[in-house]
Amino acid sequence: MNKLSQKIHGLKILFKFDNTAQLLINRLFFPNNGPNMYLLNGLEVLVDHSAGDQDGTRSCLVPGLYDPCFEALGDLPRSLSILDLGGNGGGFLLALKHTGREIRRAVVVELNPHTHSRLTLNLLRNIPSCHKHITILNGAAGGAVGSLTVNLGRGSVGDSVTGSSQDGEEFTIPCHSFQTLAGYFPVEEEIDICKIDIEGAEYSLLQNTPPELLRRCRHIIIEIHEIPGESVTALLEFIAAAGFARVHPPRPLLENTVYLFSRRQ
C-alpha cells in the first residue's frame, strides 16, 4: 500500500468513530496536530498520530485487530483477568470493554514511558475504578528480571528492547519475567487472557517460562515477530508442548501475525 492509499484508508477509518467531523477536520487541516481524541460508543481514546498510536491503539478498535480472536473465544466470562504485555495505548483492554466485557483484574506492561503516559490516561478515563484493580507498569517483559537501557522516541508500535531510536531519549527500564508478572495475581486465580505483543522479546519471555506457570493462562493471544536467529515454527511448537492448542489462525503463518492459543483441558 503506497502513501496515498494509506492516507485514504486512514481517512475512511475515521467514519467509524462518533466524532468523524472533528477528526476529519483535524487530519485534513491540522495534520501536524498529533494528539486526537477518538470517540466510540462511550469510549474516549487519546491517539497520538505523531507517535504512531493509530497503528496500535486505534487499530485495536477499528478495524478491530483482535476481533477474530474475540469471536473464537465465545466461552469467555463477562468479567476477565488479563495480563497485557505490550500495552501500547491501552487498545487491547479498551477493545475488550467495547465488546461488553469487564476487567476484573489486569496487569499491563508498556516499554516506552511516553506511551505509558497515554496508556494510563486512556485506562483511567474509560475503565471505572481502574486504579483499584489494574496495575500499569512502565517496563519490559522478557526472559529475566533486571534492567535495560534503550533509546526511545515518542512511542510507536515498533518499540522494542533491542531497537533504538536515533533521535530518542535514553531510558533505563525495569525488565520483568513472566513469573514476576504472574505474581501480581492471587495464587489461586487463573489468568483468563495473556496478550503478548512485545516486538520479538516473546521468544526469550516464553522460552524462560516453566510450562506449568504458563498454564495459569486459559488463553494466549500473541503476535509472533520474525527476527534473526529465532524460529516462528519452534515457538509455535513450544507453546503447543506447554499444553495449548492453536485456535486462530487455522493454519500457521510464518510472518508477523496474531495467534490465539487455548489451554487444553
Side-chain angles (χ1 to χ4, degrees):
M1 186 181 296
N2 59 40
K3 289 185 178 181
L4 178 59
S5 297
Q6 287 178 333
K7 186 172 183 178
I8 293 173
H9 177 69
L11 291 175
K12 287 181 178 179
I13 285 176
L14 302 185
F15 286 88
K16 302 289 187 180
F17 291 90
D18 299 336
N19 58 330
T20 298
Q22 178 189 12
L23 293 170
L24 281 172
I25 290 171
N26 282 344
R27 299 313 302 152
L28 289 172
F29 299 103
F30 306 98
N32 295 324
N33 181 14
N36 287 262
M37 189 67 76
Y38 282 74
L39 308 182
L40 181 66
N41 297 338
L43 294 176
E44 299 177 342
V45 184
L46 178 66
V47 171
D48 189 349
H49 285 257
S50 62
D53 278 350
Q54 71 277 10
D55 295 324
T57 309
R58 188 184 72 181
S59 67
C60 290
L61 299 168
V62 176
L65 175 64
Y66 297 105
D67 282 358
C69 295
F70 294 161
E71 291 171 5
L73 291 173
D75 65 334
L76 276 181
R78 180 178 176 83
S79 179
L80 299 171
S81 176
I82 306 292
L83 177 56
D84 185 354
L85 308 182
N88 198 261
F92 184 74
L93 293 187
L94 297 180
L96 282 170
K97 181 176 173 63
H98 188 239
T99 67
R101 269 90 176 201
E102 297 175 356
I103 309 302
R104 181 178 70 255
R105 191 188 320 277
V107 175
V108 188
V109 183
E110 170 52 41
L111 174 69
N112 190 299
H114 300 294
T115 311
H116 175 266
S117 66
R118 296 191 293 275
L119 162 67
T120 302
L121 183 148
N122 282 334
L123 294 186
L124 286 172
R125 194 175 186 96
N126 291 285
I127 300 179
S129 304
C130 165
H131 60 286
K132 294 182 180 180
H133 60 275
I134 298 181
T135 301
I136 308 171
L137 302 173
N138 178 203
V145 176
S147 63
L148 58 93
T149 300
V150 63
N151 281 14
L152 299 169
R154 296 184 62 179
S156 76
V157 293
D159 284 333
S160 71
V161 296
T162 57
S164 290
S165 173
Q166 293 182 352
D167 57 351
E169 182 179 353
E170 184 177 277
F171 295 96
T172 298
I173 305 292
C175 188
H176 308 276
S177 67
F178 191 96
Q179 183 171 3
T180 59
L181 294 170
Y184 282 90
F185 297 86
V187 174
E188 69 281 1
E189 183 175 18
E190 284 192 320
I191 299 169
D192 291 304
I193 302 176
C194 175
K195 170 256 185 177
I196 305 172
D197 183 6
I198 50 178
E199 303 302 316
E202 60 267 19
Y203 295 92
S204 175
L205 173 79
L206 293 178
Q207 291 164 0
N208 286 281
T209 299
E212 63 273 15
L213 182 58
L214 197 60
R215 285 195 294 272
R216 282 192 64 184
C217 306
R218 294 181 61 209
H219 307 284
I220 297 173
I221 296 177
I222 179 171
E223 182 169 352
I224 300 180
H225 303 80
E226 289 190 80
I227 63 172
E230 298 289 358
S231 167
V232 174
T233 300
L235 190 61
L236 293 173
E237 292 173 349
F238 177 88
I239 298 172
F244 291 82
R246 189 181 70 250
V247 178
H248 175 83
R251 297 180 180 178
L253 303 175
L254 300 183
E255 58 185 17
N256 293 6
T257 192
V258 176
Y259 288 86
L260 165 64
F261 289 87
S262 293
R263 187 183 62 207
R264 297 188 184 93
Q265 299 302 323

